[in-house]
Amino acid sequence: MAPPTARGPRPPARPPQRAGQPGRGGVGPWAPQRGGRAAERGAARRGGARRAMAAAATTAAGRARRGTPMFSQKELTSKKRDEFEDILEERRLSSDLRYAMKCYTPVIYKGLSPCKPNAIKSVVLQSEQVQYVIKQLAKEMGESPDIIQEEAVEILDEMGHSMQLGTVRFFAFTLSKIFKQLFQRVCVNEEGMQRLQHAIQEHPVVLLPSHRSYVDFLMLSYLLYTYDLALPVIAAGIDFLGMKIVGELLRRAGAFFMRRSFGGNRLYWAVFAEYVKTMLRNGYAPIEFFLEGTRSRTAKTLTPKFGLLSIVMEPFFKREVFDTYLVPISISYERILEESLYAYELLGVPKPKESTSGLLKARRILSDNFGTIHIYVGQPVSLRTLASGRINLCPYNLVPRHLPQKPTEDIQEFVSDVAYKMELLQIENMVLSPWVLVAAVLLQNLPAMDFELLIEKTVWLKGLTQTFGGFIEWPDNLCAKKAVMSGLTLHSNIARLINGHVVLNDKGVEDGAVGEIVFKRALVILMCSTYRNQLLNVFVRPSLVALALQMTRSFRKEEVYSSFSFLRDVFSDEFIFFPGISLKDFEEGCFLLTKCDAIQTTQQEIYPTDKGSVVVSFLSAMFRPFVEGYQLIFRYLSKETKEAFTEKQFIPGVRNYVFQLLEKGTTQCYEALSSDMQKNALAALVQLGAVKKKKMSNGFSYSVNQEAIHKILDVFDARTPVQKPVAARL
Amino acid sequence: MAAAAEEAAGSGGGSPASARRRLRIISGHLRGSPRAAGQEALSPSPCKAQGGSAGPAAGSIPKKRQEILKWNGWGYNDSKFIFNKKGQAEFTGKRYRLGGMVLPTFKEWIERTFGASLEHKTTSRASLNVNDVPPSIVNEEFLQDLRATKISYSQDAEDRVFRAHGHCLHEIFVLREGMFKRIPDIVVWPVCHEDVVKIVELACKHNLCIIPFGGGTSVSSALECPEEEKRTIVSLDTSQMNRILWIDEKNLTACVEAGIIGQDLEKQLSESGFCTGHEPDSMEFSSLGGWVATRASGMKKNIYGNIEDLVIHIKMVTPRGIVEKNCQVPRMSTGPDIHHFIMGSEGILGVVTEVTIKIRPLPEYQKYGSVVFPNFERGVACLREVAKQRCAPASIRLVDNAQFQFGHALKPQVASIFTSFLDGLKKFYITKFKGFDPNVLCVATLLFEGDREKVLQHEKQVYDIATKFGGLAAGEDNGQRGYMLTFVIAYLRDLGLDYYVIGESFETSVPWDRVLDLCRNVKERIVRECKEKGVQFAPFSTCRVTQTYDAGACVYFYFAFNYRGISDPIHVYEEIERAAREEILANGGSLSHHHGVGKLRKRWMKESISDVGLGMLRSVKEYVDPNNIFGNKNLL
């Protein structure tokens, strides 16, 4: 059977210049003066149009500060996305060896010649920034600067990449083989690659991919190699160095390694920051890192980490570079390689340490099929455009630029805003497979569901998702039944079709102890939810409105908004919300619900329509596991008697608590077993002030404010109305 | 001319008097007796001895400025760039070294750089239309009082329009194609300090607005009349207060009336064997009082200092009275220096009437020079090193590649085959043998001054440093041409305006470590803004480092573009210039190094000197001029 998701004949490639773009009068008076290639000229022209658009956006955004989000709902729904190309197709037709040995001459930043990894290291070491910190530390500790310099050299050696073309070619060859084994297709939006090509020549580029799998690591390098673009240097966790040969191989493929936490170590911080900034300033290779900091075990986007982002933004703040491009990249997997590992991990079975032998053992998955990968390279976002009119650079003018300087509050806020914006852009372009819809439907109809009904519901959900701006890869000519079937085939470890019914594949549940049954069921549910989760960030705003409607049992807009706001705060670590724009989010949720006729709004009121109740109840059911899960976790904490506890004590405690409830059958909320949800709930409580977080010598300790937790629980149970937030002009 | 003579006679003076005076000075120096010089210093100025026997010295610029200066452009009427019948560029007149020469490659450069074409020409109005000029509204009582003082004045439209503007692009554009909404109602020509006192008193009595006018070379909209000003605006033209009152050879100072223009000051001092050494690019036209009022900077400040280093004593007439110090000393510790309220006050506090300025013996020897660097980065590094070793020559300037090519385009036709052969050889040596990329290299121009021996020694030191940074000596001639161009370059804008090209220069000062970033970012910002604003052709955006200091440098930008296809070029231009200024500030540059703030850059004053700082200036203004007599609205 041909892969059911295969598309028909490929649509003709789009002409490079879209109609309606402001032309620049053919002859190209803007052609670079130094006389470059035709490609450069094209870049300039296209760049002009793009910048004009970006500028229009900025002038709007620049006017109000935080008030207007850098992210608007209009873009969300009316956005037209690029076409995909399968890069494996060519690999299947021609020699991998020749591909690996091909002539590789990437275009580079403003004609700079690539700089040898060792040269970078010595530049970093000699830099005023690092030398300053070395001298400071030497003075403070009364040691000779040479010793500290030695230390810096060691840090650099541990950290630095040593990209070699040979290794790159080795990976090009082996990854071709492996990818062809594992995946049906690796699809890329070629227009995105073209945009990236132009961006790389213009300004330093930072690639910001989503992180769902280890495959992400080399996928982008592989892609850029294929398209003859400069290979990125990739920030990787130091744990990879634990893997013998593999760590070194990664290093030679362009990975550089950062320790997981180094807040206290000033020398490390200085060397690391300068290393990254030197690579950025020289612009000879794009820098790649994961905003989420780690692989998301749940396929939901994790809240961003700001450290590296603020480092790569600093050269622009200090005007050492004219601009920096941030490129959001969405990598979506039809089936995630580590899906079962993740489920185990979420349930508390420790993640196997990164090791070469572990990797070799994992080779059996090579025989499995993991469907299609979609890589969507987003529009490069100009940092200058984002910053225009927003930040006061005066502090940077008053201190020599090589001195380490704590970012001001408005800079921190800006970095955070940019981080969220980039994640939202990632989410926007995540490709959703039909299976994602199936999983969402299935999880609301456990334990078994009629196949025909499943198809019908899936098609219905497809429409809804598209209304909400979700990006579904579902070829026009593919019939629903085939799409659902192919999803089931690919994910037969999760669900199966038996006698016209679709059931979860929880083999071995029938026999065994109660505990084991619960565990196995939890495993498969968590795996399945990983796919549903991919929908959540598209659905979260309208769904929270729906939930708020149910919670308030009133149609008054203000009250619904209060509940919405409450839920948004509670779930602020669970889903990605642009900071500080609760009202906008609410309006967007209402707008989308109105668009699918689920609600009607008047000046003061919001009420569900008759036919809208299906949508509203579906949406709230979709988020029910989170509502219930959080309630369970909060309830556990409300029974917490210990004065203070650590996260290491909290997670097993709450897990046991939920486990017992599941065994007793008093709850069906298996997802509350997920350590991810447990951590997020705890973080939310910290933010809401119901739990106090204190820094101890060995990590953090938490203590519960019982009264506050009970209050929150009461709101959830709708026993008390939400304390009215400032319902600013609804 | 007759009218001028009449007016001059009216003010009770004449060239004979001034000639006599100059003779006296010269003869005094000829006698060379220090005693005589001392006496000279003590003798009171003739104007003070009432009776009106003394008049202004004959300056290079007449009272009717329009007689020799362009009414709608820069500089002298007889000096301008034109395209001759063969379509070659040519510079007319005999005032400059470039005068009468043909510039064979210039046309091609213009076409290539701006996409301009000789076929697309704009036409300025040929002359001022007197009917467009806002009427002069002056109250009769004031006129009567004014007549009683015997101070020369004019309500003539041309005179008034000439003093309604400086040389910002938009001002010249208005002259060519429109008319100012508000111009001075009357022009007065005081000839001495006492006249100014009388005028200020009258202005206070009749509640008028005074706008002091010196050389009219402002590039900060400082001379523009505030449109909303309802009172009579009096343009106080200081040009007739142009005498050197005395020269003190013992202390090497000279007391000079503030209206004297740079070239006259130097010419007259040189007759006594002295100079001030203060040479701003506008020195042919700008006045001593103007330098003080804007905190001017001269090309040769490395030897002679900027205006704040040169000034020993200032006398200023304000509505509160006269402000001056009681002695003429090199330095004093008497609280904040009141000179610093005056320098840079841009005409909002009063009129500077007399300045005692440091003078130096004329240098024995002058030598130009130039160095080619492989790229701008190396050039800046070299300048930084020169500054560090504190061995900067009288002037050292570094132009970027675009400006180097521009200078190249202004090369006159070579006289002989031999010179052209030499040029070719030089070019071959630098580009082929030394491997400099002609599209990347940049040039520093140098000017040494002093004792012959010291100059040669100094020269060697500087060239040695340059060699360390990859620099190659490129000859005296290139250096001299570079400096000549700074005077001529201002004329180019008028040519550009005829062919849809508008442009302007602006400057800043910046710490050394940010020079390169600032230059790159500002140029890039200009290019980017032009694109966004729909400018059809890439702009000419170039910079040069014109001054070096211990802690930083002064950077000068030239920016011009072809505005065909844009409906409101001045607005577009202003937006781009504003963006460029914002970029400068974001890069750690200053609001201005020496052009001043005027009305053009007022919006950034608060950001530049903080709220409190601005308040300090405001309170000075409020005390000195509570009724805002000096109401040009600059600075604050």
Side-chain angles (χ1 to χ4, degrees):
Chain A
M1 193 173 78
T5 43
R7 285 173 302 158
R10 201 174 290 161
R14 242 181 254 171
Q17 203 167 349
R18 260 174 256 169
Q21 264 184 344
R24 287 253 171 227
V27 246
W30 277 89
Q33 291 204 335
R34 277 177 209 163
R37 306 179 223 183
E40 275 175 17
R41 217 162 290 166
R45 217 179 304 144
R46 223 163 306 193
R50 178 171 64 234
R51 263 178 256 133
M53 287 189 285
T58 358
T59 34
R63 252 167 242 143
R65 294 205 157 186
R66 194 120 186 192
T68 10
M70 294 191 285
F71 183 73
S72 106
Q73 58 184 21
K74 301 292 169 292
E75 288 170 26
L76 234 172
T77 43
S78 61
K79 180 164 163 113
K80 230 182 126 48
R81 293 179 177 96
D82 305 336
E83 298 290 336
F84 284 105
E85 293 290 324
D86 178 10
I87 58 166
L88 283 192
E89 196 173 281
E90 206 194 321
R91 291 290 90 253
R92 295 192 204 278
L93 296 176
S94 65
S95 152
D96 288 333
L97 194 62
R98 200 178 306 141
Y99 164 77
M101 299 315 293
K102 75 171 181 171
C103 169
Y104 170 68
T105 47
V107 291
I108 37 179
Y109 176 63
K110 294 204 173 142
L112 277 180
S113 53
C115 161
K116 288 255 152 46
N118 275 331
I120 297 175
K121 283 188 197 167
S122 71
V123 168
V124 172
L125 209 56
Q126 296 313 318
S127 70
E128 282 175 309
Q129 285 80 345
V130 169
Q131 286 299 323
Y132 175 82
V133 173
I134 287 178
K135 272 183 207 139
Q136 284 283 309
L137 288 174
K139 215 183 285 172
E140 279 168 33
M141 307 194 305
E143 274 194 72
S144 129
D146 294 342
I147 296 178
I148 297 173
Q149 171 113 357
E150 261 326 277
E151 230 175 284
V153 172
E154 274 165 34
I155 292 173
L156 260 176
D157 285 340
E158 171 194 276
M159 176 163 62
H161 77 82
S162 54
M163 202 193 286
Q164 287 177 338
L165 195 55
T167 315
V168 169
R169 293 192 191 283
F170 164 77
F171 272 113
F173 179 77
T174 44
L175 287 180
S176 294
K177 295 282 180 220
I178 293 173
F179 286 166
K180 279 191 285 188
Q181 273 295 318
L182 286 174
F183 304 110
Q184 285 168 12
R185 295 182 303 154
V186 173
C187 294
V188 180
N189 64 326
E190 285 205 318
E191 278 187 51
M193 295 306 292
Q194 277 170 19
R195 287 189 297 249
L196 184 59
Q197 183 188 359
H198 298 141
I200 283 174
Q201 294 167 71
E202 262 186 283
H203 300 299
V205 166
V206 179
L207 304 176
L208 299 170
S210 59
H211 202 12
R212 301 286 172 273
S213 162
Y214 279 142
V215 177
D216 295 330
F217 256 105
L218 289 170
M219 186 45 104
L220 272 183
S221 304
Y222 183 77
L223 195 62
L224 294 183
Y225 176 81
T226 307
Y227 280 84
D228 221 11
L229 296 181
L231 291 181
V233 289
I234 313 157
I238 200 98
D239 357 317
F240 279 105
L241 280 184
M243 303 168 78
K244 270 173 204 127
I245 301 155
V246 176
E248 273 319 301
L249 269 178
L250 284 176
R251 193 195 286 279
R252 287 179 190 187
F256 64 97
F257 300 92
M258 61 190 288
R259 295 182 190 162
R260 284 281 170 200
S261 66
F262 49 89
N265 188 339
R266 273 153 69 198
L267 183 64
Y268 190 88
W269 175 258
V271 173
F272 180 76
E274 194 47 33
Y275 184 67
V276 174
K277 283 188 278 185
T278 303
M279 292 191 292
L280 184 94
R281 278 193 293 254
N282 294 341
Y284 82 95
I287 290 175
E288 174 186 334
F289 66 90
F290 301 104
L291 270 175
E292 294 165 273
T294 181
R295 292 169 301 160
S296 166
R297 269 58 167 179
T298 58
K300 271 188 298 106
T301 302
L302 304 174
T303 49
K305 304 271 181 291
F306 306 123
L308 244 171
L309 186 65
S310 65
I311 289 177
V312 297
M313 283 161 82
E314 209 182 89
F316 169 72
F317 292 147
K318 292 187 171 173
R319 288 298 193 271
E320 291 161 340
V321 295
F322 183 77
D323 199 353
T324 302
Y325 277 131
L326 306 175
V327 186
I329 296 173
S330 320
I331 308 179
S332 336
Y333 296 89
E334 198 177 359
R335 185 177 164 205
I336 297 167
L337 215 58
E338 297 99 321
E339 56 179 2
S340 66
L341 275 180
Y342 287 164
Y344 275 106
E345 218 181 293
L346 289 173
L347 288 173
V349 181
K351 137 175 141 170
K353 208 164 176 286
E354 280 84 356
S355 72
T356 310
S357 60
L359 188 77
L360 289 175
K361 271 182 216 145
R363 72 184 185 276
R364 66 185 163 78
I365 58 165
L366 281 176
S367 56
D368 222 339
N369 177 5
F370 288 87
T372 300
I373 302 179
H374 284 94
I375 304 168
Y376 195 97
V377 179
Q379 180 87 43
V381 178
S382 147
L383 182 53
R384 175 174 275 268
T385 307
L386 291 178
S388 105
R390 256 206 68 167
I391 39 177
N392 175 13
L393 291 174
C394 188
Y396 290 104
N397 288 344
L398 292 176
V399 178
R401 290 186 291 183
H402 67 271
L403 299 195
Q405 201 178 348
K406 199 176 177 311
T408 58
E409 246 166 65
D410 62 329
I411 294 276
Q412 284 176 16
E413 190 186 280
F414 178 66
V415 171
S416 146
D417 283 3
V418 171
Y420 275 99
K421 184 191 162 74
M422 298 319 286
E423 286 202 344
L424 285 165
L425 287 172
Q426 284 174 2
I427 290 167
E428 192 183 314
N429 292 322
M430 280 288 194
V431 171
L432 307 168
S433 65
W435 164 252
V436 165
L437 308 175
V438 172
V441 173
L442 204 54
L443 277 173
Q444 289 191 27
N445 294 279
L446 290 179
M449 188 181 187
D450 180 62
F451 183 54
E452 295 302 326
L453 187 63
L454 175 66
I455 293 170
E456 190 188 310
K457 276 273 184 189
T458 304
V459 172
W460 172 83
L461 183 57
K462 175 189 164 206
L464 192 63
T465 310
Q466 280 165 338
T467 313
F468 287 174
F471 186 6
I472 302 179
E473 182 70 0
W474 188 318
D476 294 334
N477 52 1
L478 185 68
C479 83
K481 191 173 175 182
K482 271 190 182 166
V484 174
M485 244 348 267
S486 93
L488 283 173
T489 318
L490 193 63
H491 298 274
S492 56
N493 57 333
I494 297 176
R496 282 190 304 176
L497 179 61
I498 299 175
N499 302 331
H501 277 72
V502 178
V503 290
L504 282 186
N505 187 355
D506 42 7
K507 253 187 285 173
V509 166
E510 295 79 18
D511 37 73
V514 195
E516 206 174 324
I517 293 173
V518 169
F519 185 83
K520 284 202 166 140
R521 183 153 275 258
L523 259 184
V524 72
I525 286 181
L526 282 183
M527 268 205 284
C528 192
S529 67
T530 304
Y531 294 95
R532 174 214 56 203
N533 282 349
Q534 298 178 20
L535 274 184
L536 295 182
N537 271 309
V538 175
F539 276 72
V540 68
R541 287 163 196 82
S543 296
L544 291 196
V545 174
L547 277 171
L549 265 173
Q550 291 189 339
M551 261 171 73
T552 32
R553 301 193 190 111
S554 148
F555 299 127
R556 299 227 14 240
K557 215 177 197 176
E558 273 171 51
E559 283 173 45
V560 178
Y561 173 62
S562 300
S563 300
F564 173 88
S565 225
F566 166 78
L567 289 170
R568 188 181 180 276
D569 289 344
V570 169
F571 292 131
S572 62
D573 279 70
E574 198 72 47
F575 309 108
I576 302 302
F577 297 105
F578 192 85
I581 55 157
S582 183
L583 186 58
K584 279 259 172 217
D585 281 341
F586 178 67
E587 279 167 357
E588 189 187 311
C590 291
F591 167 77
L592 292 176
L593 284 179
T594 319
K595 207 171 138 191
C596 61
D597 292 329
I599 58 164
Q600 277 185 320
T601 56
T602 64
Q603 207 64 16
Q604 270 91 38
E605 293 197 318
I606 297 178
Y607 42 91
T609 57
D610 293 340
K611 68 184 225 223
S613 60
V614 186
V615 176
V616 170
S617 62
F618 180 87
L619 292 184
S620 44
M622 191 176 205
F623 284 75
R624 183 66 56 202
F626 293 91
V627 176
E628 278 178 16
Y630 270 55
Q631 278 175 304
L632 285 177
I633 296 162
F634 292 169
R635 210 156 284 144
Y636 164 78
L637 280 172
S638 73
K639 295 192 174 90
E640 176 67 59
T641 46
K642 254 186 277 171
E643 191 72 4
F645 56 92
T646 62
E647 196 184 273
K648 277 211 181 94
Q649 295 166 318
F650 163 71
I651 300 281
V654 71
R655 188 188 299 129
N656 282 339
Y657 173 74
V658 177
F659 212 87
Q660 279 163 17
L661 292 182
L662 283 167
E663 276 180 342
K664 272 188 252 162
T666 39
T667 180
Q668 287 299 311
C669 185
Y670 285 87
E671 292 182 45
L673 285 174
S674 153
S675 59
D676 181 67
M677 183 185 289
Q678 293 154 0
K679 285 177 199 162
N680 287 339
L682 186 63
L685 286 179
V686 171
Q687 263 170 33
L688 292 171
V691 167
K692 262 217 184 88
K693 187 175 175 181
K694 258 198 293 187
K695 199 171 160 80
M696 306 293 274
S697 56
N698 53 349
F700 293 100
S701 92
Y702 299 85
S703 55
V704 179
N705 174 348
Q706 288 297 349
E707 200 187 335
I709 284 219
H710 280 288
K711 236 184 226 166
I712 293 172
L713 273 170
D714 285 351
V715 177
F716 260 127
D717 298 342
R719 276 198 290 268
T720 50
V722 182
Q723 300 255 314
K724 224 194 212 160
V726 211
R729 272 160 283 134
L730 277 165
Chain B
M1 196 63 214
E6 221 174 77
E7 286 226 21
S11 62
S15 18
S18 70
R20 224 180 304 132
R21 191 182 152 62
R22 214 162 68 199
L23 254 171
R24 246 190 333 151
I25 295 175
I26 295 167
S27 61
H29 291 305
L30 281 177
R31 264 183 272 135
S33 140
R35 200 194 156 92
Q39 272 171 3
E40 174 75 30
L42 290 173
S43 78
S45 104
C47 189
K48 283 172 191 160
Q50 297 302 307
S53 63
S60 303
I61 311 291
K63 213 161 149 187
K64 283 263 171 201
R65 305 173 70 85
Q66 52 274 34
E67 278 164 11
I68 71 162
L69 299 184
K70 290 195 194 77
W71 69 278
N72 64 350
W74 179 262
Y76 300 105
N77 277 324
D78 56 12
S79 305
K80 58 180 173 237
F81 284 97
I82 55 156
F83 286 108
N84 63 22
K85 284 181 194 120
K86 283 193 229 153
Q88 285 175 314
E90 203 180 307
F91 192 69
T92 63
K94 294 198 178 92
R95 293 177 191 270
Y96 300 93
R97 224 180 76 163
L98 205 60
M101 291 200 192
V102 171
L103 315 165
T105 57
F106 188 56
K107 181 181 155 209
E108 198 244 316
W109 179 83
I110 288 199
E111 287 171 343
R112 181 165 37 104
T113 310
F114 296 106
S117 148
L118 295 194
E119 276 130 53
H120 301 287
K121 216 180 153 181
T122 63
T123 37
S124 162
R125 269 191 323 224
S127 61
L128 184 66
N129 185 352
V130 178
N131 298 328
D132 293 346
V133 177
S136 159
I137 298 165
V138 186
N139 128 7
E140 190 52 38
E141 289 159 39
F142 166 66
L143 278 181
Q144 270 173 14
D145 284 352
L146 183 61
R147 277 185 214 117
T149 63
K150 301 221 171 109
I151 293 169
S152 154
Y153 70 88
S154 162
Q155 287 173 275
D156 172 64
E158 280 190 13
D159 287 336
R160 292 188 295 121
V161 169
F162 211 103
R163 286 155 187 85
H165 66 87
H167 281 272
C168 286
L169 174 69
H170 66 267
E171 293 169 318
I172 300 304
F173 213 77
V174 166
L175 284 172
R176 291 168 63 100
E177 311 206 335
M179 183 38 66
F180 300 106
K181 290 212 177 75
R182 187 77 171 90
I183 67 169
D185 295 294
I186 181 168
V187 181
V188 297
W189 285 276
V191 295
C192 62
H193 171 78
E194 279 70 25
D195 284 354
V196 176
V197 174
K198 284 177 207 157
I199 294 167
V200 173
E201 271 167 9
L202 286 184
C204 291
K205 180 178 162 197
H206 295 280
N207 190 26
L208 314 177
C209 169
I210 297 179
I211 298 184
F213 180 93
T217 55
S218 147
V219 282
S220 59
S221 302
L223 286 168
E224 263 179 283
C225 301
E227 274 173 34
E228 66 283 3
E229 181 61 69
K230 294 283 184 300
R231 301 173 293 181
T232 294
I233 297 180
V234 180
S235 175
L236 192 155
D237 185 329
T238 60
S239 64
Q240 306 308 302
M241 304 197 295
N242 59 359
R243 293 163 303 170
I244 296 178
L245 297 178
W246 46 256
I247 292 173
D248 179 348
E249 293 186 14
K250 278 187 188 153
N251 295 310
L252 286 177
T253 54
C255 182
V256 188
E257 287 183 317
I260 196 166
I261 57 171
Q263 56 168 327
D264 290 345
L265 177 61
E266 292 301 315
K267 212 185 299 163
Q268 289 175 35
L269 283 175
S270 72
E271 286 163 6
S272 336
F274 293 105
C275 67
T276 63
H278 185 69
E279 291 186 13
D281 288 356
S282 61
M283 72 170 290
E284 296 165 281
F285 310 105
S286 57
S287 69
L288 173 58
W291 301 337
V292 170
T294 53
R295 292 180 67 87
S297 167
M299 184 181 95
K300 300 193 290 196
K301 72 97 194 153
N302 291 336
I303 293 185
Y304 300 97
N306 287 318
I307 197 74
E308 66 271 20
D309 310 308
L310 284 164
V311 160
I312 293 292
H313 184 266
I314 305 172
K315 197 190 263 186
M316 178 163 79
V317 180
T318 76
R320 271 280 165 197
I322 294 158
V323 53
E324 62 180 324
K325 291 182 185 173
N326 73 329
C327 53
Q328 307 208 325
V329 292
R331 181 176 197 275
M332 56 204 270
S333 174
T334 46
D337 191 338
I338 54 157
H339 282 174
H340 287 284
F341 289 125
I342 299 169
M343 285 187 288
S345 60
E346 305 193 356
I348 62 169
L349 299 178
V351 187
V352 176
T353 54
E354 290 170 15
V355 178
T356 304
I357 191 165
K358 290 198 244 175
I359 54 172
R360 300 284 306 160
L362 278 171
E364 176 193 314
Y365 187 64
Q366 256 198 349
K367 193 170 182 193
Y368 290 96
S370 64
V371 182
V372 189
F373 290 99
N375 56 43
F376 193 64
E377 288 74 16
R378 302 286 276 166
V380 170
C382 174
L383 260 63
R384 204 280 161 267
E385 184 60 29
V386 166
K388 200 180 197 172
Q389 297 193 19
R390 291 202 172 161
C391 64
S395 168
I396 177 165
R397 286 178 172 177
L398 179 77
V399 302
D400 69 359
N401 183 266
Q403 227 170 109
F404 158 74
Q405 301 207 6
F406 167 54
H408 217 69
L410 283 173
K411 231 177 180 170
Q413 208 156 26
V414 276
S416 72
I417 298 174
F418 181 65
T419 347
S420 112
F421 172 73
L422 266 186
D423 278 354
L425 211 63
K426 236 185 274 171
K427 195 176 161 192
F428 178 82
Y429 177 70
I430 288 174
T431 59
K432 295 285 167 349
F433 190 72
K434 281 289 176 181
F436 285 21
D437 180 347
N439 290 314
V440 180
L441 62 81
C442 73
V443 179
T445 56
L446 310 165
L447 171 61
F448 297 91
E449 248 183 48
D451 297 346
R452 197 185 142 81
E453 223 165 275
K454 276 192 191 144
V455 162
L456 295 178
Q457 208 181 330
H458 193 177
E459 194 186 17
K460 185 175 179 310
Q461 187 186 5
V462 172
Y463 280 109
D464 282 350
I465 294 174
T467 312
K468 276 189 208 137
F469 292 89
L472 287 176
E476 275 180 77
D477 198 49
N478 280 324
Q480 188 169 9
R481 225 157 37 83
Y483 287 102
M484 184 264 303
L485 284 183
T486 48
F487 291 104
V488 172
I489 211 166
Y491 286 93
L492 264 178
R493 185 168 71 196
D494 297 327
L495 180 75
L497 279 167
D498 287 342
Y499 295 96
Y500 290 95
V501 174
I502 50 178
E504 183 94 278
S505 60
F506 48 91
E507 40 75 45
T508 186
S509 49
V510 59
W512 277 116
D513 70 315
R514 293 170 191 258
V515 170
L516 284 176
D517 288 332
L518 181 130
C519 290
R520 182 197 58 230
N521 290 342
V522 171
K523 285 195 274 185
E524 172 119 25
R525 178 74 181 265
I526 288 172
V527 171
R528 204 161 143 156
E529 292 286 330
C530 280
K531 241 183 222 184
E532 276 170 20
K533 303 268 176 335
V535 174
Q536 301 283 315
F537 299 89
F540 178 59
S541 159
T542 161
C543 70
R544 66 170 188 233
V545 180
T546 59
Q547 289 291 7
T548 62
Y549 292 89
D550 287 350
C554 167
V555 181
Y556 219 90
F557 291 92
Y558 284 110
F559 152 49
F561 63 87
N562 180 334
Y563 69 84
R564 282 182 58 214
I566 297 177
S567 58
D568 191 354
I570 293 302
H571 179 69
V572 167
Y573 169 80
E574 281 172 350
E575 279 190 337
I576 297 169
E577 187 188 317
R578 184 176 156 180
R581 180 58 61 182
E582 263 166 7
E583 192 61 36
I584 286 175
L585 296 175
N587 280 273
S590 65
L591 190 50
S592 171
H593 170 261
H594 59 273
H595 281 174
V597 176
K599 289 177 271 290
L600 194 61
R601 286 176 275 274
K602 251 164 89 165
R603 76 174 99 225
W604 293 289
M605 269 301 270
K606 196 171 115 181
E607 188 186 330
S608 289
I609 62 168
S610 83
D611 256 339
V612 178
L614 204 57
M616 287 162 81
L617 296 185
R618 269 205 194 104
S619 57
V620 170
K621 163 80 176 168
E622 265 156 37
Y623 171 77
V624 172
D625 183 16
N627 297 318
N628 196 26
I629 299 298
F630 288 90
N632 60 16
K633 293 250 171 102
N634 289 339
L635 210 57
L636 301 178

